[in-house]
Amino acid sequence: MNPLSKDDQNELKINPIHEFLWALTGLMLTIFGTFVEVFFVIPQGTNLEDLNPTSLGVTYQLVGVFLTGCLGGKNAGAYAQIAYLVLGLFKLPVFYQGGSFEYLEQPSFGYILGFIPGAWLCGYLAIPGKRRLEVFVYAIFFGLLVVHLCGILYLVGYTFITPLFGNELDPNYLTDGINLYTVSPFFSQLTLIPVIAIIAFVIRLFLFY
């Protein structure tokens, strides 16, 4: 159940031109973020030279996915990811390992497909109401769950369909895939949620909506 009141939900209407601009911005952020790894710095002493950057094992890709939803709404979020998907499938190297229709054969492709409903849900939950940090947090969280749900469903289908074409898979292929693509990166992705929420809150604060 959406906790926003009816007045809150009717408060904000996104102009189609603004939706297009946010979608374009989201597309660019998603492409750029795909190739930029997330690091955090652990101080080892008082000297700046002793700073130890440590990778979280994820990229900033999800920042583009969910920030678009928080700022531009459900349509802008979905449009940005549809454009990202189309560009990648038509051989533009916007995916992490390039891009082409052969990416459909990647067991992780379902997570990319999940960007579309994930961004849509995030925008649906975040944009109608007033500017609230906690709303952004739960909108991003549920959007992330949708991404992983789509990814797992695709992985299940891939695991059962691939052997029909003569490709034998390890008996632990499905569990290993879920561990690799969902379990392992999930905590690191959770740490991005407050960052995205704060950025969205500040931007909407300055833009007065």
Side-chain angles (χ1 to χ4, degrees):
M1 182 176 179
N2 195 329
L4 299 175
S5 68
K6 185 175 181 180
D7 290 339
D8 287 342
Q9 294 179 23
N10 292 331
E11 181 169 332
L12 184 61
K13 300 295 183 181
I14 300 297
N15 186 294
I17 296 178
H18 291 166
E19 279 188 339
F20 172 78
L21 293 176
W22 282 125
L24 184 60
T25 301
L27 173 61
M28 296 297 104
L29 288 175
T30 304
I31 294 174
F32 178 74
T34 299
F35 305 102
V36 181
E37 198 168 356
V38 179
F39 287 87
F40 69 97
V41 177
I42 302 176
Q44 300 293 330
T46 58
N47 195 328
L48 292 178
E49 296 180 356
D50 295 330
L51 296 178
N52 182 27
T54 303
S55 173
L56 285 180
V58 296
T59 69
Y60 283 100
Q61 187 179 47
L62 291 176
V63 175
V65 174
F66 296 123
L67 189 60
T68 311
C70 288
L71 296 176
K74 60 185 181 182
N75 292 334
Y79 294 158
Q81 298 314 311
I82 291 172
Y84 177 70
L85 181 68
V86 171
L87 290 177
L89 289 179
F90 282 91
K91 298 188 177 182
L92 289 179
V94 296
F95 297 153
Y96 189 73
Q97 296 178 332
S100 71
F101 268 100
E102 294 179 359
Y103 230 87
L104 293 170
E105 301 175 5
Q106 294 285 338
S108 60
F109 184 71
Y111 294 87
I112 299 177
L113 286 175
F115 289 170
I116 299 172
W120 186 94
L121 179 62
C122 177
Y124 173 78
L125 295 174
I127 209 69
K130 296 179 181 179
R131 184 176 53 249
R132 297 174 183 170
L133 189 59
E134 67 273 17
V135 171
F136 296 157
V137 169
Y138 85 69
I140 298 166
F141 175 73
F142 284 114
L144 180 62
L145 290 184
V146 168
V147 171
H148 281 282
L149 177 61
C150 292
I152 291 173
L153 290 175
Y154 193 90
L155 190 57
V156 170
Y158 181 90
T159 302
F160 286 98
I161 292 175
T162 296
L164 299 178
F165 295 92
N167 297 320
E168 294 297 326
L169 300 177
D170 187 273
N172 298 322
Y173 187 88
L174 179 58
T175 55
D176 289 345
I178 293 175
N179 182 66
L180 177 63
Y181 299 120
T182 290
V183 177
S184 295
F186 192 70
F187 176 77
S188 296
Q189 291 169 345
L190 287 179
T191 63
L192 291 176
I193 291 178
V195 176
I196 302 170
I198 291 171
I199 293 173
F201 181 85
V202 171
I203 291 176
R204 285 181 59 168
L205 181 67
F206 279 100
L207 294 180
F208 302 105
Y209 75 96

